[in-house]
Amino acid sequence: MALTKEQMARRIARELKDGYYVNLGIGIPTLVANYIPEGINVVLQSENGILGMGPFPFEGEEDADMINAGKQTVTMLPGSSIFDSATSFAMIRSQKVQLTVLGAMEVADNGDIANWKIPGKMVKGMGGAMDLVASAENIIVCMMHTNKAGESKLLRKCTLPLTGVGCVKKIVSDLGVFDVTPEGFKLLERAPGVSVEEIKAKTEGRLVVEGDVPEMAV
Amino acid sequence: MNKVVANAEAAIADIKDNMTLMVGGFGLCGIPENSIAALVRSGVKGLTCISNNAGVDDFGLGLLLQTKQIRKMISSYVGENDEFERQMLSGELEVELIPQGTLAERCRAGGAGIPAFFTPAGYGTEVAEGKETRTFDGKNYVMERWLRADFSIVKAWKGDPFGNLVYKRTARNFNPMMAMAGKVTIAEVEELVPAGALDPDEIHTPGIFVHHIFQGANYEKRIEQRTVRKRG
């Protein structure tokens, strides 16, 4: 069975290390905050100007002046700080933010990522994604393995306009976990009940399979 | 020193057709609501607006798009506005999309007297097309130019007659850099306080960057995505 969104978020949460400053993108990446393992303390950065972002407010306590980068009302945890957008991207570009988790439309087996534009169709803009992917030391992409038409999103070469080049380090899809290596996507774990053959069939880019690939514990 | 004007109409009176404006805010958070409404009423047109977003269809800069007063937008993310997307895809509206951190830094550079800088954002993408690139210490960077505006319009929580400003929570966002980068900067504030009432240690934007300040009225402060959790 392919992973649910919650299971993908839970798997990514296992990549968090104590003391990390982390930027979580919009969509499934945001869910990672719900599964931070016991004993691991991380500080969430939101690029509109928060360190120490907390959960959604209780009903009735929403504050229009307190939103995250997805424009959702949020809260702050004790020890948090607020800053302007230039300072926010200063900490991103200078690699003080240690992990970025974001979604993608396409990833290539050399680490290229495309997630901001479909020419002639969807042009919403890149927001902070280009700054994040060009700067972060550690970038995990969280995405469905195939698009709605069933076509692979893990490609030999991206077809859409790029967001960044050679920057993705790891991918958690609904079918498995992959490292981006010089030889291509290296399969590290399979979703429970998903075969190597199925992953091969749904991966257009170069796939590296070494030995018996374990099933993910979910 | 007294930079106080009566209202938004007085503050924007010198904004003319075809000028370039910076407009503070992130989404609908920290936007100069009163000034935008006054610009709609003024009928000024052909504007180039530099702002992270373009509002929603019926609020924020979306109001100036509806009335076709904006000729060009320079933004990082515009996904919340159907009318914007329609005007862009039909070619009525010129749009320059730039990475959010680059936008913030270009405004900061404009306000800091730095004509250009190098950033890794956008290297190898269409954002870098036609721009100088350089390698420093083994990493590739794109040269980006400063941004400056005829008028910058920002929104703060508190301000005083000297133009000193304090922002509230994430309504700070792009406002401080944009305040620095305007030839003329207009600040609208929720609370105009007497000189000396703000602690000098806690001022975010020193008054030297601000030319006109007024106390805004009837703030709607619309929430774009109301997300809450249950008490339990």
Side-chain angles (χ1 to χ4, degrees):
Chain A
M1 280 290 288
L3 299 181
T4 63
K5 289 176 181 179
E6 288 72 22
Q7 288 170 325
M8 290 165 73
R10 195 186 296 268
R11 176 62 190 80
I12 291 169
R14 299 217 304 264
E15 301 290 320
L16 300 174
K17 293 197 169 65
D18 197 39
Y20 261 12
Y21 289 95
V22 181
N23 183 293
L24 300 175
I26 294 165
I28 308 174
T30 304
L31 299 176
V32 173
N34 299 335
Y35 301 105
I36 298 169
E38 208 53 37
I40 299 284
N41 287 298
V42 299
V43 177
L44 298 181
Q45 200 255 15
S46 190
E47 65 266 26
N48 60 317
I50 316 170
L51 273 175
M53 179 168 59
F56 295 151
F58 289 120
E59 221 165 332
E61 293 178 0
E62 315 90 276
D63 179 355
D65 291 327
M66 193 60 226
I67 63 167
N68 64 14
K71 285 103 180 176
Q72 298 170 313
T73 46
V74 292
T75 57
M76 289 182 294
L77 297 173
S80 65
S81 59
I82 295 287
F83 35 86
D84 63 56
S85 301
T87 307
S88 179
F89 284 94
M91 56 187 78
I92 288 167
R93 283 191 304 264
S94 66
Q95 304 187 329
K96 302 294 190 291
V97 176
Q98 287 139 322
L99 175 65
T100 290
V101 182
L102 78 174
M105 297 171 188
E106 296 176 346
V107 175
D109 62 27
N110 65 350
D112 290 357
I113 176 173
N115 72 353
W116 73 282
K117 182 179 185 181
I118 303 173
K121 273 192 195 158
M122 192 284 301
V123 191
K124 292 180 185 303
M126 64 293 279
M130 281 194 184
D131 310 271
L132 282 158
V133 301
S135 309
E137 261 177 285
N138 195 1
I139 299 171
I140 301 179
V141 164
C142 172
M143 66 177 189
M144 305 309 281
H145 207 92
T146 56
N147 64 21
K148 283 178 185 136
E151 298 158 344
S152 181
K153 294 169 71 173
L154 282 72
L155 304 174
R156 186 76 182 85
K157 195 170 187 304
C158 292
T159 63
L160 296 169
L162 295 181
T163 306
V165 293
C167 51
V168 176
K169 303 291 189 291
K170 189 175 276 236
I171 299 166
V172 175
S173 82
D174 53 329
L175 301 185
V177 181
F178 308 83
D179 264 348
V180 178
T181 71
E183 291 73 42
F185 301 115
K186 183 176 179 188
L187 180 61
L188 302 178
E189 298 171 25
R190 297 173 289 120
V194 173
S195 67
V196 171
E197 285 64 37
E198 180 180 350
I199 293 168
K200 272 185 184 160
K202 290 180 174 171
T203 304
E204 195 252 7
R206 294 173 300 157
L207 185 69
V208 179
V209 181
E210 284 176 4
D212 281 338
V213 178
E215 274 195 5
M216 191 186 304
V218 293
Chain B
M1 184 76 66
N2 188 359
K3 299 178 176 180
V4 178
V5 295
N7 51 35
E9 275 71 23
I12 66 142
D14 292 331
I15 296 182
K16 304 277 187 281
D17 289 354
N18 305 314
M19 279 187 166
T20 295
L21 312 182
M22 283 187 186
V23 183
F26 185 98
L28 301 179
C29 181
I31 59 171
E33 295 182 18
N34 282 231
S35 300
I36 292 170
L39 286 169
V40 172
R41 289 193 295 272
S42 79
V44 63
K45 58 186 189 300
L47 299 172
T48 294
C49 287
I50 302 167
S51 189
N52 188 55
N53 312 93
V56 294
D57 282 328
D58 62 345
F59 201 55
L61 288 181
L63 296 170
L64 285 166
L65 286 166
Q66 270 185 14
T67 51
K68 310 248 170 86
Q69 289 170 268
I70 300 177
R71 182 183 65 78
K72 179 177 180 183
M73 281 292 315
I74 300 176
S75 303
S76 88
Y77 188 81
V78 293
E80 263 80 54
N81 191 320
D82 293 339
E83 174 63 12
F84 181 102
E85 200 155 354
R86 192 197 64 71
Q87 288 187 21
M88 174 168 60
L89 292 173
S90 72
E92 290 165 66
L93 179 71
E94 195 184 332
V95 178
E96 186 180 341
L97 291 168
I98 57 185
Q100 195 171 119
T102 299
L103 176 62
E105 194 64 15
R106 288 177 72 184
C107 294
R108 200 197 71 81
I114 307 281
F117 59 92
F118 285 88
T119 176
Y123 180 85
T125 75
E126 63 182 52
V127 163
E129 282 170 17
K131 292 174 184 164
E132 183 180 339
T133 59
R134 276 178 72 174
T135 306
F136 295 98
D137 301 325
K139 186 167 166 137
N140 299 315
Y141 297 84
V142 184
M143 189 176 81
E144 295 283 359
R145 297 292 312 275
W146 62 10
L147 284 171
R148 293 180 296 174
D150 295 309
F151 280 81
S152 283
I153 309 176
V154 302
K155 152 82 193 317
W157 177 28
K158 293 178 187 175
D160 70 16
F162 282 75
N164 295 309
L165 303 176
V166 175
Y167 307 95
K168 191 176 174 202
R169 302 297 191 227
T170 56
R172 189 179 325 182
N173 56 62
F174 282 82
N175 283 299
M177 289 80 66
M178 290 185 169
M180 293 164 66
K183 282 185 202 131
V184 178
T185 291
I186 297 167
E188 59 172 88
V189 297
E190 288 177 55
E191 287 177 50
L192 187 61
V193 301
L198 298 176
D199 181 343
D201 276 338
E202 293 178 359
I203 286 166
H204 296 133
T205 294
I208 191 168
F209 293 114
V210 174
H211 303 82
H212 306 304
I213 186 167
F214 68 94
Q215 175 155 336
N218 305 316
Y219 280 104
E220 184 178 336
K221 295 222 249 183
R222 197 185 290 186
I223 290 174
E224 218 164 316
Q225 306 280 344
R226 187 177 299 275
T227 45
V228 296
R229 69 191 144 129
K230 292 265 179 257
R231 279 169 208 280

